[in-house]
Amino acid sequence: MLSVLLGLAGSIIYGASDFFGGMAARRVSAVRVTAINSVVGFLALAVGSLLLPTKWSQEALITGVLTGIAGAAALVLLYACLAIGPMSILSPILALVAAVVPITIGFARGERLSPAGNAGLVVGLVAIILICLVPGAGAVRPSARGILMAIGSGLAIGAYLVVIDLSPADSGPAPLVVCFAVTGLVMGTILLAGAARRRLPAERARGAVLLFAVLCGITDAAAALLFLLALRAGDLSVVSVLNALAPAGTIILAAIVLKERIAVVQWIGLAVALVAAALLALA
């Protein structure tokens, strides 16, 4: 129950982080937003490591570095595949891969759920597809390149969850501090390389853009910490499904703030997600 509650909270906050990041990326490049996100998240988690029980160790550093690399790869492939589109097909592919990989690893490691928990996993995967579907773009066929990028991003996200789950239980937020630092370094390197080759325009994040980017970093760090706690309190397979439900939070915020219409199929997906969460709580 505790793991599901933490995972649900983390999923909603992850969705908010994606919303804030998307708002900021309307004015400046997604890479630049991610770089700011990483710096802010690193600072927030560094402060958190001073306030929360934290133990630094070689294992914590290694898992932090590996998850930072996985996170950077996931973001780069994510933005690339969604730019190619169609999002209505590639998003569910990405989300499913990101959930199925940790589920498979979890079961291979001996995780076993109750019948209700197993049903919750299946229902959760269905909810992911419904929430990510955007009617109207389904007639467009995705390219092989887009599909491969979506699968690659999903694998990277799945790898992030699998590796961070291996971090020492007494390390607190230490692995996440390193993770955000590594992701920030990777994104900073991409920015410098792009500027040197004049592939990225000279941009300055100001006003509301900077505010959204900072909010993106704070919420991203908070969600990452909640999911780390959820992993330590429960099963990798359960948390991975909850993690993939993050688009629900983005959709709800977009409807409230931007007055975007939520499609009927997405409303159904949100309802199915609640059923999945209830079943997982009984696992």
Side-chain angles (χ1 to χ4, degrees), residues 32 187-202:
R32 187 167 273 99
M187 291 300 164
T189 301
I190 293 175
L191 282 175
L192 292 175
R197 298 179 183 180
R198 296 184 179 180
R199 291 183 179 178
L200 291 174

Side-chain angles (χ1 to χ4, degrees), residues 149-185:
M149 285 183 174
I151 292 174
S153 181
L155 288 173
I157 295 173
Y160 168 92
L161 288 171
V162 171
V163 175
I164 201 68
D165 187 44
L166 298 175
S167 62
D170 60 354
S171 61
L176 294 177
V177 175
V178 178
C179 171
F180 274 72
V182 171
T183 301
L185 287 173

Side-chain angles (χ1 to χ4, degrees), residues 8 123-124 127 131 245 248 268-278:
L8 275 177
V123 174
I131 290 171
L245 291 174
I268 296 174
L270 292 173
V272 173
L274 293 177
V275 174

Side-chain angles (χ1 to χ4, degrees), residues 42-157:
F42 165 76
L43 293 175
L45 289 165
V47 172
S49 68
L50 299 176
L51 302 176
L52 300 173
T54 304
K55 182 178 179 181
W56 293 90
S57 64
Q58 183 178 1
E59 291 80 6
L61 292 174
I62 292 175
T63 52
V65 170
L66 291 177
T67 51
I69 295 172
L75 289 172
V76 171
L77 290 171
L78 170 66
Y79 295 138
C81 80
L82 294 185
I84 294 174
M87 293 185 184
S88 61
I89 297 178
L90 295 180
S91 291
I93 291 175
L94 187 158
L96 279 175
V97 174
V100 169
V101 170
I103 290 174
T104 303
I105 297 297
F107 276 84
R109 291 189 335 203
E111 290 183 2
R112 295 295 181 269
L113 304 178
S114 66
N118 289 324
L121 292 182
V122 176
V123 174
L125 293 175
V126 173
I128 293 167
I129 297 175
L130 295 175
I131 290 171
C132 292
L133 284 177
V134 181
V140 181
R141 292 185 178 181
S143 65
R145 183 184 177 190
I147 292 175
L148 288 175
M149 285 183 174
I151 292 174
S153 181
L155 288 173
I157 295 173

